[in-house]
Amino acid sequence: MLIYMDHHATTPVEPRVLEAMLPYFSQVFGNAASKDHEFGYQASQAVEQARGQVAALLNARPEEMIFTSGATEANNLALFGVAEKYAERGDHIITCVTEHKAVLDGAKRLERLGKHVTYLPVDSHGMVDLDELRAAITPRTVLISLMAANNEIGTLAPLAEIGGIAREHNVLFHSDATQAAGYVPLDVQRMQIDLLSLSAHKMYGPKGVGALYVRRSNPRVSLAPQLHGGGHERGLRSGTLNVPGIVGLGAAAALARREMQRQATLLRNLRDQLWQLLQTHIDGVALNGHPDARLPHNLNVYIPGIESRAFIAGLKELALATGSACTSAAVEPSHVIMALGFGEERAHGSLRFGLGRSNDAAQVARAAEVVVGRVEQLRALRRF
Ligand SMILES: Cc1ncc(COP(=O)(O)O)c(C=O)c1O
């Protein structure tokens, strides 16, 4: 049996989420914008319920949620929407070297369009220095975009502190919370977050749907739409709504909110068990990321001497990742591990375990056994 430990790449749709979605494919199939008849009205009711469910996960108001095709689109809407709308106020954006490509590549595009971007470095745990953040802000800065949780090493950002700094300097704060939403508490009020991206398929919802939180008061954030058309989603994101997907996102958010604490404890215990086993049996194994401020279900480790790509390919029983799936077409070292400052060997020799609802203690024990066995085999070969 194959053990799935790549939950940062994607998660299966939870049966309760799937059940909530099913009627919206062919029974309640109306266009949520066609509210003049019952078909459309029912679809729009379902969308509004989901909007409330997603908002509740963030302590936001339902009307502050804009549905998108996922976090990539939400990040693009936040970056380009702010850069365009606030162009007269400023042309400078601050982000960080360990962001997901869905932010970094947008930032590079903005540079080509004449904007200025500061890419903050991180320390060896993947943390941004808040004094460096403060120092990077200029009178031309319009946006700080820093992720809530890193998708490779799980490091959590001090969102409330960053939000405080942004507010103090009158700069908008966007956070890509794709990996954090549903796993750690997020509160856009307390953390003073102005824009936040999330994605359903990282929290047991369907692929191809996500949302952008856009603050509507204190301050009211304006965005320039990036998709033009029928004026859906308050004119910010035109296109017929993906009703079953949105219902799935809502159900996943509601489930995550109800079960977050219990799941986090379960996942943290499994993760710690796995780390314990690897530490006990593998000489020189090291943790990538922050020892405490990290996602409960993430474990990223460096194993000296392995080439992680080949290593993973050899593990037929276990589905793991070397880093971000979204960049795995290119055989370049992970930009996240490189940014920690340990050099290429570490970036090529690291494994990412993403634990999830389907994993249990027996699977963790087996996964550790498989990895340890393979490391021992490789190291024995090298001795000859
Ligand atoms: C941190 C982060 N941001 C953005 C994305 C992209 O999300 P989506 O697949 O919904 O476009 C991912 C997915 O890998 C991610 O981990």
Side-chain angles (χ1 to χ4, degrees):
M1 207 183 67
L2 197 62
I3 300 174
Y4 185 74
M5 287 194 180
D6 197 14
H7 290 85
H8 297 299
T10 196
T11 58
V13 175
E14 222 272 350
R16 287 169 285 180
V17 172
L18 178 62
E19 202 183 313
M21 292 172 68
L22 285 176
Y24 295 93
F25 285 99
S26 46
Q27 281 166 265
V28 190
F29 60 86
N31 185 327
S34 311
K35 282 183 271 189
D36 292 339
H37 52 66
E38 192 59 22
F39 295 85
Y41 180 71
Q42 281 187 19
S44 86
Q45 290 289 94
V47 166
E48 293 320 311
Q49 187 189 344
R51 209 183 292 283
Q53 288 168 316
V54 181
L57 186 65
L58 309 175
N59 191 23
R61 301 206 306 265
E63 62 273 22
E64 296 178 308
M65 303 309 310
I66 304 296
F67 291 118
T68 65
S69 63
T72 300
E73 189 192 328
N75 286 341
N76 274 268
L77 177 54
L79 260 64
F80 289 87
V82 168
E84 189 180 332
K85 193 77 186 184
Y86 292 81
E88 287 190 359
R89 196 198 284 183
D91 57 0
H92 178 230
I93 285 169
I94 300 172
T95 185
C96 159
V97 290
T98 53
E99 291 291 314
H100 191 273
K101 297 283 180 189
V103 165
L104 287 178
D105 283 4
K108 281 186 212 140
R109 169 85 182 135
L110 284 171
E111 284 188 283
R112 288 195 295 275
L113 294 173
K115 308 287 180 189
H116 301 282
V117 181
T118 298
Y119 300 90
L120 294 173
V122 293
D123 67 14
S124 61
H125 291 149
M127 283 279 188
V128 162
D129 181 321
L130 297 183
D131 287 331
E132 284 186 69
L133 169 62
R134 273 191 204 92
I137 299 173
T138 77
R140 302 288 292 164
T141 309
V142 289
L143 183 69
I144 294 170
S145 181
L146 292 172
M147 70 200 320
N150 186 273
N151 49 299
E152 293 193 36
I153 56 174
T155 298
L156 298 174
L159 296 177
E161 281 94 327
I162 296 167
I165 294 169
R167 192 59 57 86
E168 202 181 297
H169 292 83
N170 212 10
V171 172
L172 296 178
F173 174 30
H174 166 250
S175 188
D176 176 357
T178 309
Q179 295 289 342
Y183 294 90
V184 294
L186 292 170
D187 181 331
V188 291
Q189 300 310 337
R190 187 176 68 74
M191 296 167 167
Q192 303 189 83
I193 296 170
D194 301 309
L195 297 135
L196 181 146
S197 307
L198 56 81
S199 185
H201 76 102
K202 308 288 186 180
M203 53 172 179
Y204 302 90
K207 293 165 185 60
V209 60
L212 180 67
Y213 158 76
V214 185
R215 177 178 288 283
R216 288 193 78 178
S217 56
N218 305 317
R220 183 185 177 89
V221 178
S222 304
L223 291 179
Q226 302 300 310
L227 279 182
H228 307 277
H232 307 77
E233 299 295 272
R234 296 194 289 115
L236 285 179
R237 199 280 185 179
S238 288
T240 300
L241 293 180
N242 169 6
V243 178
I246 289 168
V247 167
L249 170 59
L255 193 73
R257 185 165 171 247
R258 267 202 314 277
E259 299 183 1
M260 185 185 300
Q261 229 176 0
R262 197 174 64 87
Q263 279 296 322
T265 306
L266 284 171
L267 291 169
R268 195 173 291 115
N269 287 341
L270 290 176
R271 192 267 315 277
D272 292 348
Q273 178 196 348
L274 181 59
W275 178 223
Q276 201 58 45
L277 287 167
L278 298 181
Q279 266 182 303
T280 308
H281 299 288
I282 302 176
D283 265 357
V285 67
L287 181 73
N288 291 319
H290 198 282
D292 309 310
R294 61 188 300 116
L295 286 171
H297 57 308
N298 173 278
L299 182 67
N300 193 313
V301 297
Y302 166 52
I303 302 178
I306 69 160
E307 202 290 304
S308 53
R309 208 158 279 272
F311 188 89
I312 283 170
L315 299 179
K316 297 295 174 218
E317 225 182 297
L318 189 56
L320 290 186
T322 54
S324 170
C326 310
T327 51
S328 62
V331 190
E332 50 188 48
S334 147
H335 71 287
V336 175
I337 311 275
M338 286 303 286
L340 305 179
F342 297 112
E344 270 206 32
E345 195 196 316
R346 185 137 167 167
H348 283 299
S350 291
L351 302 177
R352 179 184 71 175
F353 297 83
L355 297 168
R357 284 175 178 261
S358 68
N359 301 135
D360 57 19
Q363 286 194 341
V364 164
R366 180 64 192 153
E369 193 179 1
V370 167
V371 170
V372 168
R374 184 87 183 124
V375 171
E376 281 171 357
Q377 224 176 18
L378 289 172
R379 287 185 176 174
L381 279 174
R382 198 159 311 135
R383 278 195 285 273
F384 283 108

